[in-house]
Amino acid sequence: MSLLQLPNIKEINLKNEILAGLTVAMTMIPESLSFAILAGLSPITGLYAAFLMGLITAVLGGRPGMVSGGAGATVIVLIALAATHGVEYLFAAVALAGVFQILVGAFRLGKFVRLIPQPVMFGFLNGLAVVIFMAQIAQFKTPVNGVMEWMAGAQLWTMLGLTGLTVLLVLLIPKVTKAIPASLIAILLIFGLVQLTGIDTKIVKDIASVSGSFPSFHIPNVPFTLETLEIIFPYALVMAAVGLIESLLTLSMVDELTNSKGSSNKESIAQGMANIVNGFFAGMGGCAMVAQTLVNISAGARTKISAIIGALTILFVILVGAPFIERIPMAALVGVMMMVAITTFKWGFLRMITKMPKSDIFVGLLVAAITVILHNLALAVFVGVIISALVFAWDSAVRIRARKTTDEFGNKIYEIYGPLFFGSTSHFLDKFHLEEDPERIIIDFKESRVVDMSAIDALNKLTNKYALQGKTVILRHLSEDSIKLLENAKGIIEVNIQEDPTYKVMPEK
C-alpha cells in the first residue's frame, strides 16, 4: 500500500484504530505534562504540543502508526533557553527548528539516519533514560519562601509512598489486564486514593494552572533582530537535529515492526510543519514518541486514524478536562515517568558488554555520558557517529590486502582487496616491491575501489616511482567513477574499461 494513498476502508480495523488512539492519548497526557513542568513551562504547553504535533504529523507524515507529541528529548534541549531568556524565546526557537526540519526533508536528507550505528542508539536511549529519571528527582523539591528546597518529614514520605505505589501498580496491572494502559490505571487509582482519603500531597495545580482554552495564534514576543537569531539559532539547530534523529529512528523501528516502508523525507517535512505551528500556537514543540508509538502499534493500529483520534482526544481533555488534570497528584506522574525511564533504558546493553567490541562499548558509554552531563542529545549522537566512522575507517585501512601472482607472460599481478581511501593508502603502498618487480605490473581492482583524492595521490606516487625505473603500471577492473578520478594518471595508466563494474546507490523512493 502506498503511503501517498488512503487505505481501503475495508482493510481498516476501526475498532483497533479508535481504541489505540484513545489509549495513546491517555498515556501521552501525563508524559507531556511532566516534560512541560520539567522545562519550567506551563503544563498546558505540553498538552498543546501533544495535540498539535499528534494531529499534524498524523495527517501529513510519512509513517502511519507513528505517534508524535511533546517529547522530552526535544524540550530538554530548550530548558536552558527558557530559563535564561523566557518562554517567548523558546517558542521562537521551536518555530525555527521546524524550518530546519522542513529543509532536511525538502533536500531529501532524512535517509542519512541509516548511518547511525547501533552502539550510538544504545547510548542515546540509555542517556535519555537517565536524564528523564534524574529529572523526576527534582519533583521532590517544594518552594519555601520562594526558594526550592527538598521535601522533609511527612510531605517527603507521602510523596515517596505514592510514587512507589504508582511504580508498583504500573508493574502489576499488566499481569491482570492489558486492555487499558497500566500507566493510565495507575494514575486514576492514585488520583482516587488521594481524593477519597484527603491525603495532602503535591498536585499539578501546585506547579501551574492548566487552562482549558483552545490554542490561539500567537507570534513569539521577541525582538526581530540579528541578536535574537544568534540566541535562538543554536538551540533551534540542536532541537531540529534531536527531533529528527528520534523521529526517524522511531520510523525505522515501526518499519521493522510492521514489515512496511515509511518515507523519512515526508516525515521530516511533517515534523517541521508541526513545530512551526507549535511555535505560533504556544506549544513546546516535540517529535516522535517511542513509548506511545509502541503502545499504538501493540494495540493494533496500522493507519493514521489512531494518531488523529489520539490528538483529538487530547484536545477534548484540554477543553473539558482541565479541572481534573489540575488535581492529578504529582507523585503519580513522577512514578509513571520513572517507569518510562526504566523501560527506555536498554538493559540488554549491560549484558552485551562482555561480547561487544571494545570500540562499540566505548561509543555507547560516551554517547550516554554526553547526554547525561550536557543534556545535548544531538552532540552525543554526532560524536558517536564520528567515532564509529573513524573506528570503521581504521579497521578497513588495516584490512586492505594484496594477493601477488605472476602470469604466463611474466607480469606481476597485485589483486587488491578492500577499499583504497585516505586511511588505507600507507598500507597499500607497503604491499609493493619496486626493486624486485618486473617491467610490467598489473594492479587488479576487481575487489577494490578507488574512493578519494588520497587514493589518487597514492596511485600517482606509486606509478611515478615505477616509471622512474622504466616500469609500466596497468590498472585493471576500475569502476567508472574511479576512472573519472584518475585523470592525472593519464599516460602511464592503462585502464581496462570493458570489465569494469559499475557501482550505484539505490535511491530512496
Side-chain angles (χ1 to χ4, degrees):
M1 180 182 67
S2 172
L3 293 175
L4 299 177
Q5 298 176 347
L6 290 174
N8 190 321
I9 191 67
K10 295 180 180 179
E11 300 175 357
I12 300 175
N13 188 325
L14 285 176
K15 175 186 174 183
N16 285 351
E17 298 294 329
I18 294 173
L19 290 178
L22 294 174
T23 303
V24 164
M26 293 302 100
T27 58
M28 192 183 296
I29 288 171
E31 189 167 345
S32 299
L33 287 173
S34 296
F35 282 135
I37 294 169
L38 164 64
L41 305 174
S42 169
I44 195 63
T45 62
L47 295 182
Y48 283 165
F51 162 61
L52 296 171
M53 291 295 303
L55 182 62
I56 295 172
T57 57
V59 174
L60 303 177
R63 178 61 269 181
M66 194 165 81
V67 178
S68 296
T74 52
V75 75
I76 286 174
V77 173
L78 302 176
I79 290 178
L81 176 63
T84 56
H85 291 85
V87 69
E88 295 296 330
Y89 279 82
L90 180 143
F91 294 145
V94 169
L96 182 59
V99 174
F100 292 148
Q101 291 175 330
I102 289 176
L103 291 176
V104 169
F107 286 100
R108 305 184 66 82
L109 302 177
K111 58 187 175 183
F112 285 102
V113 72
R114 301 169 188 166
L115 298 177
I116 298 178
Q118 196 62 35
V120 175
M121 274 301 303
F122 281 139
F124 169 79
L125 291 173
N126 290 345
L128 178 61
V130 173
V131 169
I132 293 173
F133 189 89
M134 295 302 296
Q136 304 315 306
I137 305 300
Q139 297 301 331
F140 288 85
K141 290 184 177 181
T142 187
V144 178
N145 297 324
V147 179
M148 298 300 293
E149 295 184 359
W150 291 104
M151 294 179 179
Q155 187 182 28
L156 174 62
W157 288 110
T158 300
M159 186 78 171
L160 286 172
L162 292 175
T163 300
L165 181 58
T166 303
V167 171
L168 186 64
L169 288 171
V170 173
L171 290 172
L172 295 179
I173 288 172
K175 300 181 183 300
V176 179
T177 179
K178 295 183 179 179
I180 304 176
S183 58
L184 174 61
I185 297 177
I187 291 171
L188 293 176
L189 289 177
I190 297 299
F191 172 81
L193 175 64
V194 170
Q195 294 302 310
L196 291 174
T197 60
I199 296 175
D200 183 17
T201 187
K202 188 177 181 181
I203 59 176
V204 170
K205 193 174 182 179
D206 294 331
I207 306 298
S209 177
V210 176
S211 171
S213 62
F214 189 88
S216 57
F217 182 77
H218 166 74
I219 298 177
N221 186 20
V222 297
F224 288 88
T225 62
L226 183 59
E227 181 182 359
T228 299
L229 181 61
E230 291 175 351
I231 293 172
I232 67 174
F233 184 88
Y235 292 98
L237 189 63
V238 172
M239 177 189 167
V242 169
L244 282 185
I245 287 171
E246 183 153 340
S247 297
L248 298 183
L249 290 176
T250 305
L251 182 147
S252 298
M253 177 191 72
V254 178
D255 284 352
E256 293 181 9
L257 291 175
T258 61
N259 194 27
S260 58
K261 182 67 176 175
S263 172
S264 57
N265 295 312
K266 188 176 180 182
E267 185 62 36
S268 298
I269 293 175
Q271 292 283 334
M273 295 183 70
N275 275 313
I276 290 176
V277 173
N278 264 273
F280 287 95
F281 282 85
M284 69 179 184
C287 62
M289 305 183 76
V290 180
Q292 279 67 29
T293 298
L294 287 172
V295 169
N296 196 39
I297 297 299
S298 299
R302 292 296 181 272
T303 73
K304 299 180 177 183
I305 295 175
S306 59
I308 294 174
I309 293 294
L312 294 178
T313 301
I314 291 173
L315 176 62
F316 175 81
V317 170
I318 293 173
L319 299 177
V320 179
F324 169 78
I325 293 174
E326 290 179 351
R327 298 167 68 183
I328 294 176
M330 282 304 302
L333 299 181
V334 169
V336 167
M337 290 306 298
M338 284 184 172
M339 285 305 303
V340 169
I342 291 171
T343 54
T344 299
F345 193 91
K346 294 294 182 181
W347 298 97
F349 179 78
L350 302 178
R351 295 194 299 270
M352 292 187 294
I353 282 182
T354 57
K355 302 177 182 179
M356 295 172 63
K358 292 181 180 179
S359 60
D360 287 347
I361 297 172
F362 173 74
V363 168
L365 294 176
L366 179 63
V367 171
I370 294 175
T371 302
V372 173
I373 297 172
L374 301 180
H375 289 192
N376 192 331
L377 305 182
L379 176 63
V381 171
F382 292 153
V383 169
V385 170
I386 290 172
I387 293 177
S388 296
L390 292 176
V391 170
F392 173 78
W394 173 256
D395 290 342
S396 300
V398 298
R399 289 177 182 174
I400 191 169
R401 296 179 290 116
R403 181 186 178 189
K404 305 165 189 176
T405 58
T406 303
D407 64 14
E408 65 271 22
F409 303 106
N411 301 320
K412 186 69 171 289
I413 300 176
Y414 288 86
E415 296 179 70
I416 306 302
Y417 296 84
L420 181 58
F421 67 110
F422 68 90
S424 61
T425 53
S426 60
H427 292 85
F428 170 77
L429 293 173
D430 291 340
K431 306 296 181 183
F432 297 89
H433 306 286
L434 276 71
E435 302 293 338
E436 303 173 7
D437 287 342
E439 294 183 358
R440 189 177 173 91
I441 299 93
I442 300 173
I443 305 177
D444 193 331
F445 282 90
K446 186 176 182 179
E447 302 295 335
S448 182
R449 185 183 181 188
V450 179
V451 176
D452 57 14
M453 289 301 298
S454 297
I456 294 172
D457 181 65
L459 287 173
N460 280 327
K461 288 179 180 177
L462 182 65
T463 52
N464 286 334
K465 288 180 180 179
Y466 275 114
L468 291 174
Q469 297 188 16
K471 301 177 181 180
T472 303
V473 176
I474 299 173
L475 306 184
R476 282 185 180 171
H477 297 140
L478 283 166
S479 61
E480 291 182 8
D481 50 348
S482 296
I483 294 172
K484 293 178 182 178
L485 294 175
L486 291 168
E487 303 240 349
N488 293 333
K490 283 182 179 178
I492 55 174
I493 295 178
E494 178 183 328
V495 179
N496 184 342
I497 298 177
Q498 286 75 20
E499 298 181 54
D500 289 345
T502 300
Y503 299 87
K504 294 182 179 179
V505 178
M506 180 67 70
E508 181 182 32
K509 293 182 179 180

